[in-house]
Structure formats: C-alpha cells, structure tokens
Amino acid sequence: MDDRMFRTAMGKFATGVTVITTEVDGEVHGMTANAFMSVSLDPKLVLISVGDKARMHDLIKRADKFAVNILSEEQKEMSMIFAGQIKEERNVAFEDFEGTPIIKDSLVNLACNVYDAHEAGDHTLFVGEVLNLNVQDGEPLAFFEGKYKQIS
C-alpha cells in the first residue's frame, strides 16, 4: 500500500472536527484536528495526535496545556481558518477557560493539562487530563473523505 491509499482508507472514517488551542507567551495558537478521542473516565483523559513538524507540536510542549474545541456545523469557517484553508487574516475571539483559550459557541470545550505524551511515528500523542468542560446543544461539524459533511 502507498501513502495515498492509506490516506484514502483513513478518510473513510467519519469524524467530528476540533480546533486545538493553546497559549504561549501571551499569544493564542490553534490547529484544526480530527485525530481526537476520549481515553479514560478515571481520571478523565482525552488524546490528540499532532504531527511532529506542526507548529502546534512544540507549542503544546511549551504550554503543557491545551483546549479541545469540538465544532458545531455552524463553525466550518473556524475549522478552515485553523487548517490554513482561509489565508486572509480573520479576527477570532477567544475566551479564557481554566487558563486556556477556547472558541466560543463550540459544542464542547475541554480544558486540559498535558498528562502524558507518546511519540508514535511522525506524530506525538498528547494525552490531556480534562480540568473542566463546557457543553451545549447543536449539530456537529463532520468530516468524511476529505470533505466537510452535515449529519442528517
């Protein structure tokens, strides 16, 4: 199997869309990610996978904390901004939650401290201990076969 075939196969797994946020030296950074999962209830742990060459990789290591913002279907533009699909500068308003920047109006915001990190191939798996969370009703932004989808 080649890289393209592997990527195509992985694209067959429908996922939600998140933006991972953190703050370093007073500057907020974000990255769109769909490699996210819950890990444990006791303690409450989640996992994100971040490419070793991604800017966010070293920022999370420095901050030792991050937030996971699970996006609603109305937040497609937010996903595109943090995926680098929208190049022009956009003003994104962040809110502080447990000392971590979050994106307002997300379906879920999870404020996490880095609990552990594991190198896995060309990515690092950051396990976050959830300090607190916000939840609101709405429909999720979904991703399947390289495209945004609505769940109906």
Side-chain angles (χ1 to χ4, degrees):
M1 101 193 94
D2 63 11
D3 290 352
R4 181 72 249 160
M5 181 182 280
F6 183 75
R7 184 178 286 258
T8 298
M10 294 302 98
K12 298 289 185 184
F13 183 65
T15 67
V17 180
T18 72
V19 172
I20 309 304
T21 50
T22 196
E23 185 173 356
V24 174
D25 298 330
E27 188 175 341
V28 176
H29 303 272
M31 174 190 87
T32 298
N34 63 355
F36 159 76
M37 63 182 279
S38 64
V39 174
S40 169
L41 278 174
D42 187 20
K44 291 170 182 56
L45 302 176
V46 296
L47 181 144
I48 59 172
S49 179
V50 180
D52 293 342
K53 293 180 181 169
R55 278 186 353 146
M56 193 58 118
H57 181 272
D58 292 335
L59 294 168
I60 290 173
K61 280 189 165 185
R62 285 179 59 196
D64 207 35
K65 61 185 175 179
F66 60 90
V68 178
N69 303 274
I70 300 175
L71 301 185
S72 74
E73 67 182 2
E74 289 87 24
Q75 293 177 303
K76 178 179 171 183
E77 182 177 289
M78 199 65 62
S79 171
M80 295 173 75
I81 290 168
F82 290 103
Q85 296 167 335
I86 295 178
K87 301 298 183 194
E88 57 269 7
E89 192 68 30
R90 299 286 170 98
N91 186 21
V92 176
F94 296 97
E95 293 184 353
D96 182 86
F97 183 60
E98 301 289 341
T100 306
I102 60 167
I103 297 172
K104 186 179 175 190
D105 299 325
S106 297
L107 289 181
V108 176
N109 308 105
L110 302 166
C112 305
N113 281 336
V114 173
Y115 181 86
D116 208 349
H118 303 274
E119 292 182 17
D122 58 1
H123 279 61
T124 297
L125 307 176
F126 289 101
V127 179
E129 183 170 19
V130 179
L131 304 174
N132 204 348
L133 57 81
N134 294 322
V135 179
Q136 68 177 348
D137 290 333
E139 294 300 320
L141 181 62
F143 201 71
F144 179 70
E145 292 186 329
K147 296 184 178 91
Y148 294 101
K149 301 284 184 176
Q150 288 188 322
I151 296 177
S152 55

